[in-house]
Amino acid sequence: MQASAVEIRKVNKYYGPFHALKDVDLSIPPGKVTCLIGPSGSGKSTLLRCINFLEEYDSGEIRIDGQLIGYETPGRKMSGRKLREMRRSIGMVFQQFNLWPHMTAKENVAEGLIRVRGLSKAEAETRAAEALTKVGLADKMENHPSRMSGGQQQRVAIARAIAMEPRLMLFDEPTSALDPELVGEVLNVMKTLASEGMTMVVVTHEMGFAAHVADQVAFMEKGELVAVDSPQGIFHAPKDQRIQNFLRTYHERNSF
Amino acid sequence: MFSIPVFLDSFEPLIWAARYTLLISVLGIVLGLVIGTLICAARLSSNMVLRKLAALWVSFFRGVPLLVQLLVFYYSLAVIGIDVPATFAAVFTVGICASAYISEIWRGAIAALPKGQAEAAVAIGMKPSDVWTRIILPQAVTISLPALINELILLVKASSLVSVVGIMEITRASQAQAATTFRPLEVYIAAACIYLIINLCLSALGRYLEHRTAI
Ligand SMILES: Nc1ncnc2c1ncn2[C@@H]1O[C@H](COP(=O)(O)OP(=O)(O)OP(=O)(O)O)[C@@H](O)[C@H]1O
Ligand SMILES: [Mg+2]
């Protein structure tokens, strides 16, 4: 068996007295898509954000390709420089896109290549153009985010992440802020990435995407990782009552 | 009767005096920007002592009238026997007072930015200094531009207060002019016109800059 791309072991996270992640264990296989589902407030975003240490976990371990992130040794924080180095190879896509509004699409993508990867402006712009072409935005490179649809903005955000050539991509509800008719274009870009063998962790409420694209699905509730299984196992033969309840609510809400 | 010739004649000495008004306002805002930025940085720092000191600075210089600050500064220097030019005292006081307001303008603009702006930069591994200079400050400048121009206009008007330490800026020059011509109305209306023209120019500059930096 191949080593995990991300190994999460006994991770706990508190917000003050609130226990947001409870002894979470999860292995993310390389080159595969892992979807994280569960009710609102169950800790999906918190767990995802612990993977690149945007959120600090309090105990346990998260290893990226074997290397502990955030801590030098358990309990001793990693230096800012070392943490930045690890983050370079982890792409992240946010629900609200978080594009920089004072830059064009191309500048948004080139910025990290210049500041973080140290590329020349010319080289960075060439790579930015390639990444934007890949997400189908060759004709929007000079647009500012305010001049783009939500779907286009999210595709720029994906281009910004993949231009850095990450080994791992994290998505936090990438389509939840989009009008329904724009969801497809973003999911298609993600499917292409998945088919190219990118390791992906996707927090999503798109059960269709999770059922058809995921290699494994993890279900969370109240800060606990309840189950990890194949999409088949989670959606068609859920063993846990909590998953059954969640899916029933989901189906009720989405039927008419 | 209102005398048009007296009114028109008043302009020359007042325009001459306007250079002090401009000097004090412009140097005041430059000093205010420099100190205000430092104060804002202190208020946002992780050091509790720095944060408290900066907050104290803001409440003090915002809470005491500029006129009183000016008099206190000017006369306390005189008491301890330091002889500084009135212009220096004026620029210094105006700048310090402006710094209190400007640090709050920055702080508000920075707080108005969605948290995700910096997060997206941190997530790709950007250094904190780059996050500030490339992502946060350019947007904060754009957001705070109207408030900064507003502050500059307030300073132009507040600079009339420095007449109390003897600087011949527009207001004091018009008092002198009114006393020699015995035509206060014409002279003061001329002074009002000059203030208005200066501030309309500043508003236009502000609109131009806002248009240039629009996002
Ligand atoms: N910064 C914070 N301070 C305090 N509590 C927080 C903070 N962030 C999240 N929480 C709490 O932690 C819990 C998990 O939040 P999280 O955002 O991870 O949920 P989620 O599963 O992503 O939900 P959603 O589907 O609504 O995005 C929630 O109860 C939330 O209120
Ligand atoms: Mg969430």
Side-chain angles (χ1 to χ4, degrees):
Chain A
M1 204 192 106
Q2 222 176 337
S4 299
V6 183
E7 193 65 42
I8 301 172
R9 280 287 158 262
K10 293 252 168 297
V11 163
N12 283 279
K13 162 82 189 165
Y14 293 84
Y15 289 113
F18 180 73
H19 200 171
L21 295 178
K22 301 172 185 165
D23 276 337
V24 173
D25 285 312
L26 178 64
S27 301
I28 309 291
K32 298 280 165 63
V33 177
T34 300
C35 280
L36 222 49
I37 64 167
S40 185
S42 56
K44 306 180 296 295
S45 300
T46 305
L47 180 61
L48 191 77
R49 292 160 57 85
C50 281
I51 295 177
N52 64 355
F53 214 63
L54 271 189
E55 217 63 78
E56 298 178 6
Y57 52 96
D58 297 308
S59 69
E61 296 186 354
I62 297 182
R63 295 184 177 273
I64 314 291
D65 289 331
Q67 195 185 352
L68 191 63
I69 189 162
Y71 298 97
E72 206 60 61
T73 53
R76 216 179 100 234
K77 283 268 183 65
M78 175 177 257
S79 74
R81 204 177 52 79
K82 226 167 154 191
L83 181 57
R84 290 198 293 277
E85 210 152 281
M86 290 191 75
R87 281 176 175 155
R88 274 163 56 157
S89 57
I90 308 174
M92 187 166 214
V93 174
F94 303 84
Q95 182 173 350
Q96 299 299 335
F97 328 136
N98 296 348
L99 292 183
W100 301 309
H102 56 303
M103 299 181 187
T104 63
K106 204 203 290 176
E107 288 165 345
N108 263 278
V109 180
E111 187 67 19
L113 295 172
I114 297 170
R115 304 284 147 187
V116 180
R117 297 279 301 271
L119 265 53
S120 71
K121 188 156 184 280
E123 174 74 357
E125 292 198 341
T126 311
R127 299 248 197 122
E130 285 166 13
L132 285 165
T133 306
K134 182 158 185 217
V135 298
L137 291 173
D139 56 337
K140 300 284 184 205
M141 296 202 216
E142 307 301 334
N143 285 31
H144 278 82
S146 56
R147 299 283 195 92
M148 285 188 261
S149 74
Q152 291 168 342
Q153 290 186 54
Q154 193 60 300
R155 286 187 281 149
V156 175
I158 294 175
R160 175 171 70 179
I162 61 177
M164 301 289 290
E165 298 172 335
R167 287 178 294 179
L168 165 68
M169 287 277 290
L170 309 174
F171 296 82
D172 193 355
E173 298 195 38
T175 58
S176 293
L178 299 177
D179 291 334
E181 73 270 23
L182 301 177
V183 167
E185 62 189 63
V186 171
L187 291 183
N188 282 337
V189 170
M190 291 170 63
K191 283 179 196 159
T192 308
L193 267 183
S195 69
E196 290 168 1
M198 175 65 78
T199 308
M200 293 164 58
V201 184
V202 185
V203 173
T204 186
H205 287 293
E206 293 288 333
M207 296 304 144
F209 180 84
H212 295 116
V213 182
D215 297 288
Q216 68 172 9
V217 179
F219 178 84
M220 290 188 73
E221 192 185 75
K222 299 204 174 96
E224 273 179 66
L225 202 116
V226 173
V228 188
D229 205 342
S230 64
Q232 176 70 24
I234 293 280
F235 292 112
H236 299 294
K239 294 178 199 82
D240 197 290
Q241 185 67 40
R242 290 169 287 184
I243 305 176
Q244 293 169 12
N245 291 344
F246 173 75
L247 291 175
R248 185 167 338 104
T249 317
Y250 177 81
H251 287 309
E252 277 164 12
R253 212 182 314 133
N254 290 280
S255 61
F256 47 87
Chain B
M1 261 305 286
F2 188 87
S3 159
I4 302 278
V6 174
F7 171 69
L8 293 177
D9 283 345
S10 310
F11 273 90
E12 206 205 311
L14 297 191
I15 287 174
W16 192 236
R19 70 208 156 106
Y20 278 109
T21 298
L22 287 175
L23 178 81
I24 289 163
S25 322
V26 170
L27 289 184
I29 199 131
V30 170
L31 187 65
L33 275 170
V34 173
I35 301 176
T37 305
L38 296 176
I39 296 292
C40 179
R43 286 207 84 169
L44 298 174
S45 86
S46 52
N47 184 319
M48 223 247 297
V49 178
L50 272 181
R51 281 206 309 270
K52 285 261 151 61
L53 284 176
L56 205 65
W57 177 282
V58 171
S59 357
F60 183 80
F61 290 106
R62 228 170 36 166
V64 176
L66 177 58
L67 183 57
V68 176
Q69 288 178 35
L70 195 61
L71 292 169
V72 168
F73 184 65
Y74 191 65
Y75 289 113
S76 58
L77 286 182
V79 164
I80 54 176
I82 299 174
D83 189 25
V84 292
T87 328
F88 173 82
V91 167
F92 191 78
T93 324
V94 166
I96 298 255
C97 183
S99 78
Y101 290 94
I102 290 172
S103 75
E104 287 297 282
I105 292 174
W106 281 141
R107 200 163 69 98
I110 290 166
L113 285 185
K115 200 162 125 271
Q117 286 293 307
E119 258 178 10
V122 168
I124 56 172
M126 232 190 250
K127 290 201 292 284
S129 59
D130 283 338
V131 177
W132 278 97
T133 58
R134 302 290 306 167
I135 309 299
I136 299 176
L137 292 180
Q139 295 186 65
V141 167
T142 306
I143 294 173
S144 51
L145 208 55
L148 288 175
I149 293 291
N150 198 39
E151 180 65 21
L152 182 54
I153 289 173
L154 288 173
L155 284 193
V156 167
K157 295 190 290 177
S159 70
S160 64
L161 297 172
V162 306
S163 56
V164 297
V165 292
I167 296 170
M168 262 299 170
E169 45 62 67
I170 299 172
T171 302
R172 191 172 162 108
S174 50
Q175 285 169 332
Q177 187 77 359
T180 53
T181 59
F182 299 106
R183 307 294 300 224
L185 186 61
E186 286 83 349
V187 176
Y188 287 130
I189 291 180
C193 291
I194 294 175
Y195 277 117
L196 193 60
I197 290 167
I198 292 175
N199 285 336
L200 288 176
C201 291
L202 291 176
S203 302
L205 173 72
R207 276 195 303 278
Y208 169 75
L209 289 176
E210 270 176 58
H211 180 72
R212 274 283 306 273
T213 60
I215 44 180

